Amino acid sequence: MDPRVLGALRRVPRERFVPRKLAAQAYEEKALSIGEGQTISQPFIVAAMTQALQLRPTDRVLEVGTGSGYQAAVLGELAREVYTVEILEDLSLRAQGTLRELGYSNIHFRVGDGARGWPEAAPFDAVIAACAPEALPPALIEQLREGGRLVIPVGSTRKTDSEQVLWLYTKTAKGFEAKELMPVRFVPMV
Ligand code: SAH
């Protein structure tokens, strides 16, 4: 694991992003409920997705699915600016409060459909999604700069067997390259 990613995971207090009654479980290797039927991903998945983004300190990153704000904080440790979109207003407001209390000033929030990206802030060096669409939303590739990386789970969440795959897309002059990373299970992108 990249030492910069490990350092970021060590600095972000994960217990602050989960409901108080789950705080004792915050560092266990599992996903936890954050309300509204949504979950904070297990630490290994956050680490693997963050590492795949290959962030540099000057990068500007788009996140789809703010959720608790935990992944945004990890991104905020490693990149210059983070733009995070959440479709559920309650979750976004709670994440905004947590991240403000922890002193993050390089994270920007929007309530809305992240499948459309954040056109005014594009192009991005990296894009990450914490919810799974059934097909790749074109805006997320379009809003990457050439050489930029997109990490996203794609596939159906309806069936019980694992048919979601975590993909790494790299934008090239001609289009993009796609690499399959691992089978995963995320909440659907709605
Ligand atoms: N990164 C989060 C994990 C959030 S789970 C964390 O660290 O806690 C995925 C989130 O994606 C949920 O909060 C869900 O409401 C949100 N979501 C689902 N569809 C979305 C969409 N179309 N646009 C933005 N957010 C969406």
Side-chain angles (χ1 to χ4, degrees):
M1 201 55 72
D2 178 344
R4 289 192 66 230
V5 172
L6 289 176
L9 293 171
R10 216 173 288 124
R11 287 193 297 277
V12 178
R14 186 169 157 95
E15 71 280 4
R16 297 286 297 275
F17 295 86
V18 302
R20 205 155 294 152
K21 64 178 193 301
L22 295 178
Q25 297 173 56
Y27 293 90
E28 289 176 20
E29 194 49 59
K30 59 185 187 188
L32 296 171
S33 166
I34 54 171
E36 314 278 335
Q38 306 302 324
T39 54
I40 178 173
S41 303
Q42 69 193 76
F44 170 75
I45 293 289
V46 174
M49 291 176 80
T50 306
Q51 174 144 331
L53 292 176
Q54 294 288 319
L55 296 175
R56 279 158 302 196
T58 51
D59 280 353
R60 299 168 64 258
V61 187
L62 171 70
E63 179 190 33
V64 181
T66 313
S68 68
Y70 175 69
Q71 172 78 71
V74 173
L75 298 172
E77 292 280 338
L78 295 167
R80 182 155 61 94
E81 303 290 339
V82 178
Y83 296 83
T84 184
V85 187
E86 170 58 54
I87 207 156
L88 299 175
E89 184 173 33
D90 282 4
L91 284 182
S92 178
L93 292 175
R94 213 184 307 151
Q96 291 180 38
T98 308
L99 291 164
R100 198 183 317 114
E101 278 170 28
L102 291 172
Y104 288 93
S105 55
N106 61 341
I107 304 177
H108 314 280
F109 303 88
R110 176 173 279 187
V111 175
D113 181 7
R116 297 190 190 140
W118 191 319
E120 305 89 325
F124 299 100
D125 301 288
V127 176
I128 181 171
C131 44
E134 298 206 355
L136 181 64
L140 300 185
I141 284 275
E142 282 158 18
Q143 291 177 25
L144 271 184
R145 70 157 173 82
E146 199 180 312
R149 290 82 55 202
L150 161 63
V151 173
I152 185 168
V154 180
S156 168
T157 18
R158 283 194 209 111
K159 311 236 175 69
T160 47
D161 48 27
S162 173
E163 42 178 344
Q164 267 181 24
V165 170
L166 188 64
W167 291 90
L168 167 64
Y169 294 94
T170 306
K171 187 155 173 176
T172 63
K174 295 194 193 104
F176 58 81
E177 284 164 8
K179 185 179 169 203
E180 217 174 301
L181 296 181
M182 63 182 102
V184 285
R185 196 149 176 77
F186 276 83
V187 297
M189 188 179 283
V190 295

